[in-house]
PDB file of all heavy atoms in Angstrom:
ATOM      1  N   ASN D  24       2.931  24.096  -9.457  1.00  0.00           N
ATOM      2  CA  ASN D  24       1.764  23.495  -9.995  1.00  0.00           C
ATOM      3  C   ASN D  24       0.506  23.454  -9.121  1.00  0.00           C
ATOM      4  O   ASN D  24      -0.379  22.827  -9.275  1.00  0.00           O
ATOM      5  CB  ASN D  24       1.975  22.017 -10.670  1.00  0.00           C
ATOM      6  CG  ASN D  24       2.816  22.203 -11.861  1.00  0.00           C
ATOM      7  OD1 ASN D  24       3.111  23.201 -12.482  1.00  0.00           O
ATOM      8  ND2 ASN D  24       3.486  21.088 -12.199  1.00  0.00           N
ATOM      9  N   SER D  25       0.554  24.337  -8.080  1.00  0.00           N
ATOM     10  CA  SER D  25      -0.538  24.509  -7.232  1.00  0.00           C
ATOM     11  C   SER D  25      -1.555  25.512  -7.912  1.00  0.00           C
ATOM     12  O   SER D  25      -1.095  26.425  -8.659  1.00  0.00           O
ATOM     13  CB  SER D  25      -0.151  25.270  -5.996  1.00  0.00           C
ATOM     14  OG  SER D  25       0.726  24.458  -5.185  1.00  0.00           O
ATOM     15  N   MET D  26      -2.853  25.184  -7.985  1.00  0.00           N
ATOM     16  CA  MET D  26      -3.844  26.026  -8.516  1.00  0.00           C
ATOM     17  C   MET D  26      -4.628  26.760  -7.544  1.00  0.00           C
ATOM     18  O   MET D  26      -5.026  26.303  -6.506  1.00  0.00           O
ATOM     19  CB  MET D  26      -4.711  25.103  -9.450  1.00  0.00           C
ATOM     20  CG  MET D  26      -4.102  24.536 -10.645  1.00  0.00           C
ATOM     21  SD  MET D  26      -5.321  23.844 -11.596  1.00  0.00           S
ATOM     22  CE  MET D  26      -4.713  24.035 -13.265  1.00  0.00           C
ATOM     23  N   TYR D  27      -4.973  28.014  -7.903  1.00  0.00           N
ATOM     24  CA  TYR D  27      -5.921  28.905  -7.254  1.00  0.00           C
ATOM     25  C   TYR D  27      -6.887  29.562  -8.172  1.00  0.00           C
ATOM     26  O   TYR D  27      -6.674  29.791  -9.273  1.00  0.00           O
ATOM     27  CB  TYR D  27      -4.909  30.114  -6.571  1.00  0.00           C
ATOM     28  CG  TYR D  27      -3.668  29.760  -5.890  1.00  0.00           C
ATOM     29  CD1 TYR D  27      -2.488  29.436  -6.549  1.00  0.00           C
ATOM     30  CD2 TYR D  27      -3.617  29.619  -4.475  1.00  0.00           C
ATOM     31  CE1 TYR D  27      -1.374  29.068  -5.891  1.00  0.00           C
ATOM     32  CE2 TYR D  27      -2.506  29.359  -3.793  1.00  0.00           C
ATOM     33  CZ  TYR D  27      -1.428  29.053  -4.482  1.00  0.00           C
ATOM     34  OH  TYR D  27      -0.332  28.662  -3.744  1.00  0.00           O
ATOM     35  N   HIS D  28      -7.964  29.880  -7.500  1.00  0.00           N
ATOM     36  CA  HIS D  28      -8.933  30.707  -8.166  1.00  0.00           C
ATOM     37  C   HIS D  28      -8.132  32.092  -8.404  1.00  0.00           C
ATOM     38  O   HIS D  28      -7.425  32.498  -7.488  1.00  0.00           O
ATOM     39  CB  HIS D  28     -10.110  31.016  -7.292  1.00  0.00           C
ATOM     40  CG  HIS D  28     -11.173  29.893  -7.074  1.00  0.00           C
ATOM     41  ND1 HIS D  28     -11.329  29.351  -5.889  1.00  0.00           N
ATOM     42  CD2 HIS D  28     -12.034  29.352  -7.966  1.00  0.00           C
ATOM     43  CE1 HIS D  28     -12.159  28.412  -6.017  1.00  0.00           C
ATOM     44  NE2 HIS D  28     -12.651  28.337  -7.303  1.00  0.00           N
ATOM     45  N   ALA D  29      -8.490  32.669  -9.516  1.00  0.00           N
ATOM     46  CA  ALA D  29      -7.738  33.974  -9.816  1.00  0.00           C
ATOM     47  C   ALA D  29      -7.950  35.005  -8.664  1.00  0.00           C
ATOM     48  O   ALA D  29      -7.100  35.749  -8.178  1.00  0.00           O
ATOM     49  CB  ALA D  29      -8.037  34.542 -11.130  1.00  0.00           C
ATOM     50  N   ASP D  30      -9.208  35.052  -8.243  1.00  0.00           N
ATOM     51  CA  ASP D  30      -9.675  35.948  -7.156  1.00  0.00           C
ATOM     52  C   ASP D  30      -8.901  35.675  -5.914  1.00  0.00           C
ATOM     53  O   ASP D  30      -8.442  36.563  -5.135  1.00  0.00           O
ATOM     54  CB  ASP D  30     -11.177  36.016  -6.923  1.00  0.00           C
ATOM     55  CG  ASP D  30     -11.860  36.693  -8.095  1.00  0.00           C
ATOM     56  OD1 ASP D  30     -11.241  37.497  -8.987  1.00  0.00           O
ATOM     57  OD2 ASP D  30     -13.012  36.429  -8.247  1.00  0.00           O
ATOM     58  N   CYS D  31      -8.852  34.493  -5.594  1.00  0.00           N
ATOM     59  CA  CYS D  31      -8.164  33.965  -4.186  1.00  0.00           C
ATOM     60  C   CYS D  31      -6.672  34.284  -4.298  1.00  0.00           C
ATOM     61  O   CYS D  31      -6.172  34.873  -3.280  1.00  0.00           O
ATOM     62  CB  CYS D  31      -8.294  32.534  -3.993  1.00  0.00           C
ATOM     63  SG  CYS D  31      -9.935  31.931  -3.583  1.00  0.00           S
ATOM     64  N   TYR D  32      -6.015  34.030  -5.312  1.00  0.00           N
ATOM     65  CA  TYR D  32      -4.613  34.468  -5.444  1.00  0.00           C
ATOM     66  C   TYR D  32      -4.440  35.905  -5.334  1.00  0.00           C
ATOM     67  O   TYR D  32      -3.316  36.238  -4.694  1.00  0.00           O
ATOM     68  CB  TYR D  32      -4.119  33.828  -6.827  1.00  0.00           C
ATOM     69  CG  TYR D  32      -2.614  33.964  -6.994  1.00  0.00           C
ATOM     70  CD1 TYR D  32      -1.730  33.039  -6.334  1.00  0.00           C
ATOM     71  CD2 TYR D  32      -2.011  35.146  -7.491  1.00  0.00           C
ATOM     72  CE1 TYR D  32      -0.457  33.088  -6.280  1.00  0.00           C
ATOM     73  CE2 TYR D  32      -0.637  35.155  -7.641  1.00  0.00           C
ATOM     74  CZ  TYR D  32       0.188  34.195  -7.088  1.00  0.00           C
ATOM     75  OH  TYR D  32       1.547  34.266  -7.064  1.00  0.00           O
ATOM     76  N   SER D  33      -5.175  36.694  -6.027  1.00  0.00           N
ATOM     77  CA  SER D  33      -5.040  38.186  -5.890  1.00  0.00           C
ATOM     78  C   SER D  33      -5.277  38.759  -4.502  1.00  0.00           C
ATOM     79  O   SER D  33      -4.724  39.822  -4.063  1.00  0.00           O
ATOM     80  CB  SER D  33      -5.934  38.771  -7.023  1.00  0.00           C
ATOM     81  OG  SER D  33      -7.229  38.707  -6.655  1.00  0.00           O
ATOM     82  N   LYS D  34      -6.126  37.945  -3.764  1.00  0.00           N
ATOM     83  CA  LYS D  34      -6.523  38.470  -2.349  1.00  0.00           C
ATOM     84  C   LYS D  34      -5.528  37.875  -1.273  1.00  0.00           C
ATOM     85  O   LYS D  34      -5.556  38.386  -0.146  1.00  0.00           O
ATOM     86  CB  LYS D  34      -7.958  38.126  -2.036  1.00  0.00           C
ATOM     87  CG  LYS D  34      -8.902  38.818  -2.881  1.00  0.00           C
ATOM     88  CD  LYS D  34     -10.276  38.343  -2.500  1.00  0.00           C
ATOM     89  CE  LYS D  34     -11.352  39.102  -3.447  1.00  0.00           C
ATOM     90  NZ  LYS D  34     -12.684  38.447  -3.195  1.00  0.00           N
ATOM     91  N   MET D  35      -4.602  37.029  -1.600  1.00  0.00           N
ATOM     92  CA  MET D  35      -3.858  36.353  -0.711  1.00  0.00           C
ATOM     93  C   MET D  35      -2.912  37.471   0.014  1.00  0.00           C
ATOM     94  O   MET D  35      -2.194  38.233  -0.783  1.00  0.00           O
ATOM     95  CB  MET D  35      -2.920  35.152  -1.203  1.00  0.00           C
ATOM     96  CG  MET D  35      -3.738  34.030  -1.600  1.00  0.00           C
ATOM     97  SD  MET D  35      -2.712  32.812  -2.394  1.00  0.00           S
ATOM     98  CE  MET D  35      -1.219  32.760  -1.528  1.00  0.00           C
TER      99      MET D  35
END
Side-chain angles (χ1 to χ4, degrees):
N24 293 335
S25 298
M26 285 188 151
Y27 306 84
H28 290 110
D30 290 340
C31 290
Y32 188 82
S33 66
K34 292 178 185 175
M35 286 175 42

